[in-house]
Amino acid sequence: MAFIPDDTLLGLLAFRPQHGYQLLEIFRDPAELGCVWKLSVSQLYAVLKRLSAQGYITGEEMASANAPARVVYTIAPIGRERLYSWLHEPQPSASIRSVRVEFLSRLYIARLLNLPTIEIIRRQKLACRQERAARIHQRDTAPLGVSHLSLDLQVGQLDAILNWIDRCEMIPHDGEDL
Amino acid sequence: MAFIPDDTLLGLLAFRPQHGYQLLEIFRDPAELGCVWKLSVSQLYAVLKRLSAQGYITGEEMASANAPARVVYTIAPIGRERLYSWLHEPQPSASIRSVRVEFLSRLYIARLLNLPTIEIIRRQKLACRQERAARIHQRDTAPLGVSHLSLDLQVGQLDAILNWIDRCEMIPHDGEDL
DNA sequence: ATGGGGCTATTCTATCATGGAATAGTGTCA
DNA sequence: TGACACTATTCCATGATAGAATAGCCCCAT
């Protein structure tokens, strides 16, 4: 299963306890996770509820002087465990969508927490190379037609990823300016 | 709205009347639409029900000597209208996923029905070029960080599509061998 | 004051997608 | 005749998604 929103939210809460609306703004801001993928209002609160029910986070209602009541969530120890095993996933998916969404989310969270990203990138690169080899083999045995075209496109997309992925190491950490 | 499964199924039924299980095999076969995207059993029947309720197709139960009863669906005139307006969509989406799924489905259906594909390809290419220009502009004004990386990846993916898309014209029609 | 509009914060609802199991007929082979 | 595989469809539980609904708080004009 993927559950990218769940793991990403755990990462954001590992950075610091936050309430739903605060998290939402990170997904709305095109300079933050908003550029990677959109999380709808209802899904965000649904995921928080699920994580809470599963014991990965704990919520505490807090009254505020200048705003309606809010629920501040804090990551629990088993949430932290789950987060680290997600970040250090040994065999990340190499589907095009996963690279754009899950891998970039991992990078975002790792940077936020000031963790090293080299291993994350290395494993993703390896997975993409393996995927590319598999697709090339399929393409070269596929009959001409749409299936051949589709595999050809996928190889091209993986090549684009492999050309791009090394640039991911060269961006500074920015966990402090949130 | 997208509704790619609906439009694709209309295309398959425009080729010839078929029942659910027959359609399903086209999506299971990796040499046919199976390479483009998977349609689950339940979704296929759900879409057929929806199309039928909306009057785009009509179903007729048929008993068979060597198999359980089945429902054979036939495309209705307004279904055919809808199909053609989908095939000739003047402004196709240029998202990476749309190209891989919707554009290739259009191509598949156009080939199946022995319709010309040049215009479909031309419009898709144009849309991708516009999308590329927009993403480049966003990237070059984005702050360094994950958002910049994400846009950079998207530009690379669009370049890969533009390199690939001209090869789509050079594949023979194969509507006869189903 | 008061009532509208806008921001914060969350919930609710309806529809659709997804994967899997369940049902049920038909043919094959031992 | 019982096990198994294939055909054909339905059902169910869970999750995703968009949108409206609710509701407190603040500012500003009437």
Side-chain angles (χ1 to χ4, degrees), chain A residues 2-12 82-83 86 102 109:
Chain A
F3 290 114
I4 308 172
D6 301 57
D7 293 307
T8 306
L9 284 177
L10 283 179
L12 294 171
R82 174 174 167 178
L83 170 63
W86 174 67
E102 189 166 22
I109 296 299

Side-chain angles (χ1 to χ4, degrees), chain A residues 55-93:
Chain A
Y56 294 116
I57 63 178
T58 57
E60 193 185 354
E61 181 139 349
M62 292 199 164
S64 165
N66 57 351
R70 55 180 76 154
V71 183
V72 173
Y73 289 97
T74 307
I75 192 165
I78 61 161
R80 229 168 252 281
E81 274 179 46
R82 174 174 167 178
L83 170 63
Y84 289 127
S85 75
W86 174 67
L87 280 174
H88 303 127
E89 168 67 49
Q91 298 192 310
S93 161

